[in-house]
Amino acid sequence: ELKNIGETELLIMAGDATISGLRTTYAQGASGEPIAVISSRNTIEIAINEGSAAHTLNLAKGAVVHVNTVRG
């Protein structure tokens, strides 16, 4: 369950972006910054604060997103 992921560091590759870690709110990203958040449906959402992730990162519906854990 994603909400229980705790301190695990994730590296997410989506379209033209590599995103490190998860945010808890969209506002935690700087304007135009690609971020990943856990949605209310317990999925990872890729977003751009104050923008469109689909447009900015060249993502289409069904695009492949890679999620890896980072080991310290």
Side-chain angles (χ1 to χ4, degrees):
E1 174 119 358
L2 287 173
K3 295 203 186 281
N4 297 328
I5 203 160
E7 295 298 315
T8 302
E9 183 69 23
L10 298 179
L11 191 62
I12 302 160
M13 282 78 58
D16 295 335
T18 299
I19 302 165
S20 180
L22 293 171
R23 309 293 175 91
T24 55
T25 68
Y26 297 104
Q28 288 179 314
S31 181
E33 177 186 12
I35 60 170
V37 296
I38 299 174
S39 75
S40 60
R41 292 182 174 171
N42 201 40
T43 60
I44 295 174
E45 289 185 8
I46 306 303
I48 298 285
N49 191 9
E50 300 179 10
S52 165
H55 177 73
T56 304
L57 304 178
N58 298 312
L59 293 170
K61 185 176 182 177
V64 174
V65 174
H66 297 275
V67 180
N68 297 299
T69 56
V70 177
R71 297 172 194 241

